[in-house]
Amino acid sequence: MNRVHIKTYGCQMNERDSEAVAAMLRARGYRIVGSEDECDVLLLNTCSVRDAAEQKAIGKAGYSLARKKRNPDFILGILGCMAQNRGASLLDRLPDVDLIVGTQKFHRVPDYLDNLRAAKEAGAPIGEAIVDTAEELDSQNTIRDHMDGPEAQVCAFVSIQQGCDMHCAFCIVPTTRGDERSRPMEDIVRECAELAERGTREVTLLGQIVTSYGRRDYPHSGGISPFVQLLEKVHAIPGIERIRFTSPHPKGFRQDLADAFARLPKLGEHVHLPAQSGSDRILRAMKRPYTREGYLGIVRMLRSAQPAMAFSTDIIVGFPGETDADFEQTRSLCEEADFDMAYIFKYSVRTGTPAASMPDQVPDGVKEERNQILLEALRAGSLRRSQALVGSVQEVLVEGPDKTGLRFAGKTRGNRATVFEAAPRLVGTLVPVGITRSSVSTLYGELVLADAGLQTEPCPASL
Ligand code: SAM
């Protein structure tokens, strides 16, 4: 009755939330299992950003509920964004679900499971499902160090804020995640320091709009925003070798953040900078507070702070009213920005958002055509950029074995996945890798030092 499997849909924030729930459950004596076939409790941590993600989780829940016929003690819970978005209405389609827990209530999951299990063990009839999607004041302070066990992962996620105040016309996140709330800076720094002591070498600071971090709680200091102040503090932690963050908003990129990339070497040369569109008309309709030229200006500012800067982005194709000319602006923005990688989304209607009721919804066929055009252009650009690295030496943080288990994998400072031969003792260290070949998304190479296999000390941070 105590084996739990958590299946996560969607973004890194959801992954981080699942890790937190897993750690809380382990502390309560539950066993987290890797296979859902072995579990007594299945928790689906869901995503609402696009309809397809919701439908996938609903399909999975419906399929999993068939297990209750074979095993009436089986427990199914739906957590996270879709639970928040749909609440008790999920029971109309999935009446046998036991637990529906929203995004501000993850910390209540262990109590709810204890109650459900106790009732089942006592043979008490289970009545209504437990549904908890209420807002919780100061829920950002329920975020805790979530990694249990003596050794942390080489790369860890650290939540720095909850919610979002941006209200982009297409986006459901302000509904599913609530208002923007920042975690206290000292809690974040403490968590990063503890992770470093336990072996973490790279932290990714997570939030919906990380660049807005702390804007209501901390003043600017000498022109430095609270977010950059946080970066400085994490940068000072011994043992942390790399700092990444996602997702920022273009409006948060001021000179202080660009300068941070020049003066804080632990910030790698990579920025995820969601553009959404290259057309000023569509950006206005999306309620994105920047122009095409403003966006490209940020790209130039960051490349002048760090010439090797690699960019990834989010693009939506087929936003209501998007014409061929608007799409062409997006295509040419991608060319000019020279992205390393992009997530391209076909616009998905989200009930309750302003864009859902806009006229001139774009037909699915047109969205798909634009999606394919961009995918191909971005694939070609990404391959060109990765091929340009062949022959160079890249500093790679060794994360562990690659998918085959035969070699090792890590990422460059520019966030390129890299595969190479190494020794297990190098996991968690920065090593120089000579790049010998590349695919669209992965670099392949060899450790540069002939005696690298014997190396026990991390390499210097800049090679
Ligand atoms: N910080 C990001 C930003 O600046 O907008 C927000 C991250 S959002 C949770 C992840 C991505 O999902 C967005 O950047 C957007 O491209 C995509 N997205 C959100 N709503 C969408 C929708 N209704 N249809 C398609 N894609 C959507």
Side-chain angles (χ1 to χ4, degrees):
M1 279 289 277
N2 76 340
R3 295 168 307 171
V4 181
H5 180 74
I6 307 178
K7 184 166 172 56
T8 308
Y9 298 82
C11 64
Q12 288 141 320
M13 261 156 287
N14 290 5
E15 280 175 39
R16 194 311 183 171
D17 290 335
S18 293
E19 285 172 0
V21 171
M24 288 184 282
L25 288 173
R26 272 194 212 101
R28 276 290 171 93
Y30 287 86
R31 204 145 66 80
I32 305 298
V33 293
S35 154
E36 64 182 82
D37 295 336
E38 290 169 18
C39 74
D40 310 298
V41 178
L42 176 60
L43 300 177
L44 304 179
N45 188 12
T46 56
C47 168
S48 278
V49 167
R50 274 157 292 131
D51 188 52
E54 287 201 350
Q55 294 309 330
K56 211 163 144 187
I58 289 173
K60 177 77 192 169
Y63 177 77
S64 305
L65 282 172
R67 280 173 74 167
K68 276 196 184 268
K69 296 211 170 67
R70 297 192 302 276
N71 173 11
D73 288 338
F74 174 71
I75 292 175
L76 180 70
I78 298 181
L79 318 182
C81 290
M82 184 175 72
Q84 190 71 44
N85 189 30
R86 297 193 175 217
S89 74
L90 279 168
L91 296 170
D92 298 341
R93 276 181 72 180
L94 302 163
D96 294 333
V97 166
D98 302 282
L99 189 61
I100 296 176
V101 176
T103 52
Q104 297 186 29
K105 297 290 187 169
F106 286 114
H107 57 290
R108 301 297 309 273
V109 170
D111 286 345
Y112 290 145
L113 279 187
D114 281 356
N115 293 347
L116 282 166
R117 284 179 58 214
K120 289 200 185 235
E121 272 161 21
I126 305 290
E128 308 266 288
I130 298 173
V131 180
D132 187 356
T133 56
E135 278 187 33
E136 180 153 324
L137 190 67
D138 294 335
S139 69
Q140 72 276 18
N141 298 332
T142 65
I143 301 173
R144 295 273 178 270
D145 176 10
H146 61 293
M147 292 299 171
D148 44 0
E151 276 196 22
Q153 298 156 335
V154 174
C155 303
F157 297 135
V158 175
S159 279
I160 67 167
Q161 92 199 140
Q162 292 184 336
C164 182
D165 283 349
M166 286 309 295
H167 299 286
C168 301
F170 49 79
C171 194
I172 192 95
V173 168
T175 307
T176 58
R177 293 269 173 180
D179 296 338
E180 183 186 294
R181 290 144 289 146
S182 294
R183 249 180 114 186
M185 205 177 291
E186 61 274 18
D187 283 9
I188 299 168
V189 174
R190 192 181 318 116
E191 180 176 340
C192 292
E194 284 169 9
L195 284 166
E197 266 172 33
R198 286 165 41 209
T200 291
R201 296 290 164 256
E202 174 180 301
V203 288
T204 300
L205 307 180
L206 286 182
Q208 292 297 337
I209 306 284
V210 285
T211 35
S212 297
Y213 170 78
R215 68 196 165 112
R216 295 200 191 89
D217 312 292
Y218 304 97
H220 276 57
S221 159
I224 306 282
S225 69
F227 178 60
V228 175
Q229 293 170 36
L230 175 65
L231 292 177
E232 289 171 345
K233 288 200 157 72
V234 177
H235 193 270
I237 298 172
I240 295 294
E241 302 285 358
R242 282 192 181 164
I243 305 166
R244 301 192 190 275
F245 53 83
T246 197
S247 207
H249 191 289
K251 87 177 179 104
F253 279 85
R254 305 270 161 77
Q255 195 61 50
D256 63 328
L257 185 48
D259 292 346
F261 276 93
R263 69 188 168 86
L264 303 178
K266 294 179 184 178
L267 287 174
E269 287 84 36
H270 170 253
V271 166
H272 182 70
L273 192 63
Q276 312 302 356
S277 173
S279 153
D280 285 344
R281 207 177 66 80
I282 295 295
L283 286 170
R284 258 196 316 278
M286 286 176 162
K287 295 206 175 66
R288 301 285 292 182
Y290 52 88
T291 59
R292 170 198 178 83
E293 198 34 49
Y295 181 92
L296 289 170
I298 295 167
V299 169
R300 283 192 292 272
M301 172 175 71
L302 287 165
R303 284 211 168 109
S304 76
Q306 272 299 353
M309 189 68 87
F311 289 92
S312 55
T313 195
D314 294 344
I315 300 279
I316 296 179
V317 292
F319 185 80
E322 185 188 71
T323 62
D324 286 345
D326 292 316
F327 174 66
E328 173 51 26
Q329 291 278 297
T330 299
R331 197 203 55 73
S332 69
L333 175 111
C334 292
E335 206 171 87
E336 282 183 49
D338 202 10
F339 295 121
D340 258 46
M341 211 277 282
Y343 297 98
I344 303 167
F345 302 105
K346 290 181 275 183
Y347 169 69
S348 169
V349 176
R350 310 311 294 129
T351 307
T353 61
S357 52
M358 284 181 184
D360 302 324
Q361 296 284 330
V362 175
D364 286 348
V366 176
K367 287 183 199 167
E368 182 52 33
E369 198 181 318
R370 291 176 184 167
N371 184 35
Q372 290 304 328
I373 292 170
L374 268 198
L375 279 176
E376 184 44 38
L378 285 158
R379 200 195 68 81
S382 189
L383 184 61
R384 186 177 31 72
R385 284 186 61 86
S386 74
Q387 280 174 344
L389 298 175
V390 173
S392 70
V393 175
Q394 298 290 316
E395 180 201 274
V396 175
L397 174 61
V398 188
E399 293 175 22
D402 74 346
K403 278 190 227 135
T404 65
L406 300 173
R407 287 174 296 177
F408 285 80
K411 294 207 186 63
T412 64
R413 292 175 60 82
N415 209 29
R416 283 269 176 186
T418 308
V419 171
F420 48 95
E421 300 211 345
R425 77 186 74 173
L426 294 179
V427 171
T429 67
L430 297 167
V431 297
V433 177
I435 305 304
T436 52
R437 67 188 175 91
S438 71
S439 68
V440 174
S441 57
T442 308
L443 303 173
Y444 300 87
E446 290 161 4
L447 285 179
V448 167
L449 303 176
D451 62 349
L454 302 173
Q455 185 179 332
T456 52
E457 292 294 313
C459 294
S462 53
L463 291 159

